[in-house]
Amino acid sequence: MGMRRWGYQVDLYNIKKKRQLDLGGYDLIGIGSPVYYYGPPFILTDYIKSLPDLGGLPTFTFVLHGTYPFDTGKFIRQVLASKGARDIGYFHCYGADYYLGFLKEGYLFSPNHPNSAELSSAEDFGSQLVERFAGKPYSLTEEDQPPPLIYRLERFLLNRWLTEIFWSRFFKVDKQSCTMCGLCKKICPCINIGQDEDGYPVWGCDCLLCLSCQLKCPQDAVITPISWPLVRPFMIYNVHRASKDPSIEHVRVKHSKGRTRVLGPK
Ligand SMILES: Cc1cc2nc3c(=O)[nH]c(=O)nc-3n(C[C@H](O)[C@H](O)[C@H](O)COP(=O)(O)O)c2cc1C
Ligand code: SF4
Ligand code: SF4
């Protein structure tokens, strides 16, 4: 919006696995990312790492986070810099946190975000980018901090390698409840869900751990390891810490059959 106001053409792309984007002809590239497990989703990391040499092309980064982003933005900017990009801006703000691990604990963090103030700041950010693109000097004043140990442990536990060789193997369907509606397959951003010979969903190993398949299933028929005793203590710690943090809004919710129902403010 902020850039379009100045007459620039802005094209938006949704990065989906196995889809290459041709960046030829663009004067400025922005990478927008949610935070997943205190870092960018694997799909985004793959994409930026696969970029060719950017030869000084200006880039900017924006990040949406439900609780704590830590150094997600810094990581993206570092990879872009390693590709020869010229960093001209970094913006981050809260976004509604439909992470199933938290919803199952009865908490929705950052509901109704980005709010109007954040959207207006984002628009201003767009205008600043136009000025910096035209040559106005820019340097980042405040740097992202790395996560404290407990979050780093969680990030490690849910890393790509363990997801591929371990966690993804435990995704399955409850055939008693599944109606074979196909929704999980349709929404998977990694094209990781196929069908068995009877039409039931089957999962591969190319998973982001976004949990959208489980979150949206209208029958609660998707079974994943997200509530296992190995993972749940992290959820409980995170929910406890974020719910006591006055800078993070939350509401109490009940999530079932693909719907999140708000119960009350606290
Ligand atoms: C699987 C998953 C993991 C998440 N992990 C984090 C996290 O580590 N830190 C955080 O601040 N937000 C986390 N979030 C929240 C999202 O980053 C946040 O809600 C963001 O606004 C989502 O953007 P989107 O609605 O454009 O997908 C997570 C969300 C999901 C679904
Ligand atoms: S979304 Fe649920 S009900 Fe629909 S196919 Fe997937 S598992 Fe079955
Ligand atoms: S959690 Fe489900 S929807 Fe998300 S990438 Fe893995 S299989 Fe696909």
Side-chain angles (χ1 to χ4, degrees):
M1 280 285 283
M3 300 188 76
R4 285 193 178 130
R5 203 166 54 190
W6 292 83
Y8 285 89
Q9 181 190 327
V10 179
D11 295 335
L12 298 176
Y13 288 95
N14 191 352
I15 296 172
K16 293 248 174 179
K17 199 125 193 181
K18 296 160 189 127
R19 187 181 154 203
Q20 281 301 318
L21 310 179
D22 180 9
L23 297 178
Y26 287 99
D27 299 315
L28 172 63
I29 295 168
I31 300 288
S33 176
V35 178
Y36 280 9
Y37 310 111
Y38 313 110
F42 311 146
I43 204 170
L44 193 275
T45 306
D46 283 350
Y47 177 69
I48 52 177
K49 286 193 170 170
S50 74
L51 286 172
D53 186 88
L54 295 174
L57 196 72
T59 58
F60 66 92
T61 302
F62 65 95
V63 164
L64 279 171
H65 56 98
T67 55
Y68 303 108
F70 296 118
D71 50 6
T72 306
K74 185 176 177 182
F75 173 82
I76 296 171
R77 287 169 39 244
Q78 279 173 343
V79 176
L80 291 174
S82 75
K83 297 283 173 180
R86 177 169 72 90
D87 186 8
I88 65 162
Y90 171 39
F91 179 84
H92 58 89
C93 75
Y94 288 103
D97 192 340
Y98 284 89
Y99 172 48
L100 192 61
F102 294 168
L103 299 179
K104 277 178 174 282
E105 297 297 329
Y107 286 79
L108 169 62
F109 291 102
S110 305
N112 309 317
H113 283 266
N115 58 25
S116 52
E118 287 162 330
L119 290 174
S120 156
S121 302
E123 201 165 340
D124 292 346
F125 173 68
S127 300
Q128 289 161 12
L129 289 174
V130 170
E131 290 170 350
R132 293 173 196 160
F133 177 66
K136 190 172 176 189
Y138 158 75
S139 72
L140 196 64
T141 44
E142 152 209 353
E143 269 294 353
D144 291 341
Q145 295 306 310
L149 182 64
I150 184 142
Y151 296 100
R152 265 182 280 155
L153 272 176
E154 184 183 345
R155 185 160 74 178
F156 171 75
L157 198 66
L158 300 169
N159 72 26
R160 170 195 299 251
W161 179 70
L162 284 174
T163 299
E164 199 175 315
I165 64 155
F166 185 70
W167 299 114
S168 60
R169 316 268 161 164
F170 299 98
F171 278 63
K172 54 185 183 195
V173 66
D174 171 7
K175 291 189 177 175
Q176 304 294 327
S177 316
C178 176
T179 56
M180 296 189 257
C181 71
L183 181 65
C184 51
K185 181 176 176 208
K186 191 167 150 205
I187 60 174
C188 174
C190 292
I191 321 170
N192 185 44
I193 305 176
Q195 277 178 310
D196 69 10
E197 58 280 7
D198 299 321
Y200 288 106
V202 281
W203 281 259
C205 306
D206 198 4
C207 177
L208 267 187
L209 281 187
C210 71
L211 303 177
S212 299
C213 48
Q214 191 179 15
L215 178 81
K216 300 281 184 191
C217 173
Q219 304 298 328
D220 279 344
V222 177
I223 301 164
T224 74
I226 196 62
S227 300
W228 280 12
L230 193 58
V231 189
R232 184 136 186 264
F234 290 101
M235 302 303 142
I236 294 171
Y237 175 83
N238 288 341
V239 163
H240 177 76
R241 173 151 175 205
S243 63
K244 300 279 175 252
D245 186 334
S247 60
I248 301 175
E249 291 172 33
H250 72 266
V251 285
R252 299 304 309 272
V253 292
K254 180 155 178 51
H255 183 87
S256 99
K257 302 205 163 183
R259 285 171 188 264
T260 306
R261 196 159 48 90
V262 176
L263 302 174
K266 293 281 166 189

